[in-house]
Amino acid sequence: MRIAVTGSSGLIGTALVRSLREDGHQVVRLVRRSPRAEDEVEWDPRRQWVDTSGLMGCEAVVHLAGAGVGDRRWTDAYKKEIRDSRVLGTAAIAEAIASLDTPPRVLVSGSAVGFYGDTGERAVDESAPPGHGFLPDLCQDWEEAATAAQEAGVRTVFARTGLVVSAEGGAWGKLFPLFKLGLGGRMGSGRQYWSFIALRDHVAALRHILDTPELSGPVNLTAPTPVTNREITAAMGRALGRPTLFSVPAPALRIALGEMSGDVLGSVRAIPRRLLDTGFTFACPHVEGAIKAALG
């Protein structure tokens, strides 16, 4: 297939593009600058503009672009950047797709399990309602921004992603150096659930979505066995052979991270019901396997 990908230079996008090309698919990468290679197409999410000539002939679009939620402290300015990069970018892609005489068959648009807010110990699947707060509100607006593609008859899937286990980047990539130094430990009470997914499973799940016509709407991209921060801390210590004696009290996290601390201390116990129901098999269903895979 000819497949367009935004966010192709990010952690997930890089791995996805590599996987697709290894299997012979033609990948078009959308970039926010003048193209420098034959496989690049320019777009500007802030101006909601896409060079639609580069999307012609594409059978699928995977939209992963967006400012990193955990990259900086959540000031009002950065929260606006996070929101605009997702909402405006998604609207631009959806409207560009809808304008084509022959639109792609499927749009896979990024989202997050932050949609559900703090679920405590309650397990939630894709049928659960949204939570309350910045991330749930963002995810709702993010998904609604794809309406133009849906109205054009394009199968649209919202990939509600959990924490991607990788040593190469993302939020988990910041944990590995601390644990290797013996400075890792639980955060807050450690009882909060973290919904994780191995990078290899995330890429495989995206490809499963592309190849499964019955999937549309929200799909949780998380392992089937979410675990607590305390359990993750122990697993990281075992995998790296390091002590995990340190802990960061909740008040200290709130001072250090501000509003973003709610995402770290909050509990999301998401279950990938729709992936499981359509026959997807996880290579790393448990956190120990995901950590070992990340270590190579």
Side-chain angles (χ1 to χ4, degrees), residues 68-106:
V69 171
D71 287 357
R72 288 163 48 189
R73 189 181 179 92
W74 287 0
T75 62
D76 288 344
Y78 193 59
K79 285 166 67 176
K80 184 177 187 302
E81 183 176 342
I82 291 171
R83 187 184 185 282
D84 287 352
S85 69
R86 284 162 171 75
V87 176
L88 298 181
T90 300
I93 292 296
E95 289 165 11
I97 287 172
S99 72
L100 296 173
D101 292 337
T102 305
R105 294 199 303 263
V106 56

Side-chain angles (χ1 to χ4, degrees), residues 2-294:
R2 178 176 166 89
I3 302 170
V5 179
T6 74
S8 63
S9 62
L11 173 68
I12 298 167
T14 299
L16 176 63
V17 169
R18 184 188 309 120
S19 173
L20 291 169
R21 285 180 169 164
E22 285 174 351
D23 285 344
H25 297 291
Q26 181 186 1
V27 178
V28 175
R29 298 180 297 122
L30 275 72
V31 296
R32 291 171 292 173
R33 52 168 170 74
S34 298
R36 300 172 187 163
E38 292 183 357
D39 68 339
E40 294 183 344
V41 172
E42 187 176 3
W43 77 307
D44 187 335
R46 291 190 179 279
R47 289 196 294 120
Q48 295 184 269
W49 174 83
V50 180
D51 180 359
T52 55
S53 65
L55 298 181
M56 292 181 182
C58 286
E59 296 176 67
V61 175
V62 182
H63 173 47
L64 303 172
V69 171
D71 287 357
R72 288 163 48 189
R73 189 181 179 92
W74 287 0
T75 62
D76 288 344
Y78 193 59
K79 285 166 67 176
K80 184 177 187 302
E81 183 176 342
I82 291 171
R83 187 184 185 282
D84 287 352
S85 69
R86 284 162 171 75
V87 176
L88 298 181
T90 300
I93 292 296
E95 289 165 11
I97 287 172
S99 72
L100 296 173
D101 292 337
T102 305
R105 294 199 303 263
V106 56
L107 166 64
V108 182
S109 187
S111 186
V113 294
F115 176 94
Y116 305 109
D118 190 339
T119 71
E121 295 188 357
R122 176 173 54 93
V124 293
D125 63 17
E126 293 87 350
S127 65
H132 303 282
F134 173 65
L135 284 181
D137 291 348
L138 167 66
C139 290
Q140 290 179 79
D141 292 343
W142 190 3
E143 294 181 6
E144 288 173 5
T147 298
Q150 293 174 298
E151 292 178 345
V154 176
R155 176 169 70 92
T156 302
V157 181
F158 303 109
R160 292 180 180 168
T161 300
L163 287 167
V164 179
V165 185
S166 171
E168 301 171 14
W172 212 290
K174 297 176 182 178
L175 295 179
F176 276 104
L178 293 174
F179 277 85
K180 286 179 180 178
L181 291 172
L183 301 176
R186 63 176 173 80
M187 299 183 184
S189 69
R191 293 193 296 269
Q192 69 272 31
Y193 277 88
W194 283 12
S195 296
F196 70 91
I197 185 168
L199 178 60
R200 63 186 294 186
D201 279 334
H202 194 289
V203 171
L206 289 173
R207 297 197 55 176
H208 175 78
I209 290 170
L210 291 175
D211 295 335
T212 307
E214 59 264 39
L215 281 174
S216 64
V219 177
N220 289 342
L221 268 63
T222 59
T225 55
V227 288
T228 64
N229 173 257
R230 186 187 299 271
E231 292 171 302
I232 287 169
T233 298
M236 288 283 283
R238 288 193 299 270
L240 294 167
R242 295 291 188 272
T244 55
L245 303 177
F246 291 89
S247 62
V248 185
L253 278 171
R254 293 189 181 99
I255 293 171
L257 302 179
E259 186 180 352
M260 189 171 64
S261 65
D263 191 38
V264 174
L265 297 169
S267 182
V268 184
R269 193 177 183 181
I271 305 299
R273 180 63 55 203
R274 302 197 68 203
L275 284 179
L276 295 172
D277 287 349
T278 52
F280 181 75
T281 301
F282 286 85
C284 304
H286 302 288
V287 71
E288 290 87 351
I291 293 169
K292 289 177 181 178

